[in-house]
Structures are given as C-alpha cells and as structure tokens.
Amino acid sequence: MQLSTALSLVNSNNVTEFQNLAEILSPEIISAGLKEHGISTIRKRKLPMENMVWAVIGMALFRKFPMRQMLNQLDIILPSGVPYVASSAVTQARKKLGSKVIETVFQQTQQQWNQDAHHGQWCGLNLLGVDGVVWRAPDTDENNKEFAKTGTQHGKASYPQVRMVCQMELTSHLLTNSVFDSVDVNEMNLALGLIDKTPDNSLTLFDRGFYSLGLLHRWQSTGKARHWLMPLKKNTQYEVIKSIGRQDKLILLTTTPQSRKKFPELPKTMQARLITKKVKGKDLQILTSMTDPMRFPSADIVDLYAHRWEIELGFREMKQSLLDNRFTLRSNQPELIRQELWGILLAYNLIRYQMVLMAKSLDGIHPNQLSFNGASMHIIHELTQLSFCTPGNIPKYTMNITKSAKQFVLPSRRERQYPRMLKCSKNRYPVKSKNAVHLK
C-alpha cells in the first residue's frame, strides 16, 4: 500500500491502519532514530515510542482532527481493556519522544528520497532554493518565553512566532533541510545552519534578503561546487575586474571589518559574476558565484532566478493544503512546537515523494508540474477501495495512481498581466473626503 492509503481511509471511514505507511517510511529508520537518542519503550504501553512517531506525522496529515480524537481513531494504540487514550498520556508520550527523533527521521528519509528521485540538473548542478517562512504558535506562557512576537508601531502580535528557513530541491519540491528558531532571529543567521548538509554540485537560489558576503563565502567554500545565485542588492558597491560580455562582468566585492570579525575565514575581497538582462523594460541584475563563462552560459543564468518561487509554492502547499489553512500550530510547549514542525516537514515530504513516483510515469514531466491538490484528491479517491479489495487486486489499484497522473499536469504558467504595485498603507483614522456630504 502507498502513503495515500492512510489519507484515503481516514477521509472515508475516519479509521485507518496507520502502519500501512511502513512501506514508505521504513520501521528500521524509526528504530534507528529512537536508538540514536536513547529513547525506547521499556514496558508495554498504549502509546509506544515507535507509534508516537507516526502520531506526530499524523498531526500534520490529519490536521482537522484534535490530537486525542486522531489517536483514538488511528490504529496506533495497542489493544487493552480501554479503547482510548487520555489527553495527559498523549502529552507525556510526546514529551518523552522529543523533537530530535523526528528531526533524525526527517534527515534520513530526505536523503533516501532525494537520492531515489533522480532530480533534473542544470549544467551538472542540482537546483536548490532557500527561503524563510513564519509559523504562529499558541499564546501560552511557555511559548512566550521561548518565541518572540513581531511588533509594529501599533503594538505586538497576538501570538508568539517561529521563524523557519528551509532548503528545497526545486524540481521535486522535496525538502532537503530546515532550521528554525524564534522570529527575532535573522534569516541569514538561520541559513548558516544549512551549510554543512547542503549537497555538493548544487546551485542554491537566494532572495536578496540573504545578501551577506560572510554567508555566501562560507556557502561556496564548504564542500565541492556549491554555487549560489541572487539578485544584486540595491546600492551594493563593487569594482569591475573585467568584462566577459556585453552584459556580463567579473566583479570584486569588498568585505567589511564587521563581517570579517564574524567570519574569520572571510577575505578582504571576494570575486563574483554580475549579469544584467532587460526584463519587461527593466534591468535585472543577478549576482552569482558561477564565474566560469564557458561552463555556465549567461543567457540561462538570469532566467534561473525565476525558479526560486518554487519554494514559495511549497510553503503555500504546506500551510494551505496540508494544514487546511489552520495557521496556528497545536502544541503549547516549545519542545513540542519543534517536534510538530519537524512532523509537518516529514509529512510534506511523504506526500511529495508520492508525487515524484507519479511524475516518473510521465515523459518529460517534473513533480513540480503536477497539481498538489488534484493529485492528493485523486490518490484518496482511488485508494479508498483498498480496504475492501482482496490482496491480489491491490497492485491494480496502486497502478491506477500512476496511470492517471497525466490528468494532473498543470498548464503552462501565465505571465502576470498587471505589474506589481505598492499599495498605500492603511490609516488608523478615517480620511475625510473633500467632496463628502454631511447629513444633518
């Protein structure tokens, strides 16, 4: 059975055999994660630690159910005299499990699934994207102590927030790594935590908000052929070393004493490549570490930046589709918040890996060209029959998923008809119109 068996059965009958996911998420990976962090079930409990890993994943997959109801309806509670589990037992089991186990399972599975996906490459480089997203945590005393609240001139937000920076493979939307902390931690500081596990022979696309010569130098100097690309930040000072082409230049960037103090390995100057292209009447300038013009043609480099928006689509799929627009997380304690977030990332990768398998059945189609909502709904519809069919017929229904994948290919994305415009900020007080008619 596939991952979506669990999804389909819970939507049709509100009861599912959660262990059907074991064919995708190996029990050996879960056991290894528990063993690595010294966590095990010493005596027989209703909620053994192996099952609690599935429960954390289920918190994201079945967002519409309260935690206790989900556990009682899913087949992950060991048989006993009482066919339900108390809320206090769920919290106690989640605390014992912690967040590190889920993080380890995520890291192990993403490595395996990304390797199996056989991603498309550009000039021998895998395309990665890095960007940040903010999650809202429940307003509890524990969360308020750990996570800050964003503030404006009108006051602070009502909820503590968590800032997350993710790294995503852009052709499949499979996540490769993530780092998160309080919302008052800068995205560039969080991105430093992604460097060590960034794959070699890769090109990472950044937004201009990540412009930091210390970050970029460490990114490209760690590992082998780890390149980066981003738009040139406004008012950036540079010196032209030589002109490679009409709109293609090799430039020299000067680092500041403050950045060299923070990054001791950072040199005083740093070479980069600046490519300019006119897009819709405006000059778009792209800065990159790919300084070899023979291997990396300038005609394609500027167009590559448009692929950075794939990670934004992935964040939308997580928040709107996977979590059903429930933007506030469930957990009331910081460690359980971290556990829940790793569970969301793991659940998202589970679904995305199924879409990778669907895309493999189509010629010339990447997983990011399939509709996330449409593919998920079809998988749910097809696999509702698995609980009623004989084991010999299961492969037939499973194959129907890949055979029907073609209908979920998205049409070509349309160009924006109207340019982006800056809207006026809202006024706290009503604006009196000159032509207003005053009624007596």
Side-chain angles (χ1 to χ4, degrees), residues 37-92:
H37 298 282
I39 298 175
S40 61
T41 304
I42 300 177
R43 60 187 178 87
K44 191 173 181 180
R45 299 174 179 268
K46 281 188 178 181
L47 292 174
M49 291 297 101
E50 293 82 0
N51 288 13
M52 283 307 301
V53 173
W54 293 117
V56 173
I57 299 173
M59 290 172 62
L61 291 178
F62 312 112
R63 189 64 175 87
K64 65 181 181 180
F65 294 122
M67 188 66 182
R68 180 180 177 184
Q69 181 183 355
M70 181 196 70
L71 289 173
N72 291 332
Q73 289 177 321
L74 299 179
D75 189 20
I76 61 174
I77 303 175
L78 294 182
S80 62
V82 182
Y84 61 87
V85 63
S87 299
S88 57
V90 177
T91 304
Q92 184 178 358

Side-chain angles (χ1 to χ4, degrees), residues 29 195 223 240 306 347:
I29 293 180
I195 294 179
V240 178

Side-chain angles (χ1 to χ4, degrees), residues 21 54 68 75 96 102 107 194 223 246 261 308 409:
L21 295 172
W54 293 117
R68 180 180 177 184
D75 189 20
K96 180 180 179 181
I102 308 300
Q107 296 292 354
L194 302 174
R246 186 177 180 182
K261 184 177 181 180
R308 191 197 71 81
V409 177

Side-chain angles (χ1 to χ4, degrees), residues 428-439:
R428 292 181 62 186
Y429 307 101
V431 179
K432 183 177 179 181
S433 173
K434 295 180 179 179
N435 300 325
V437 180
H438 300 278
L439 300 177

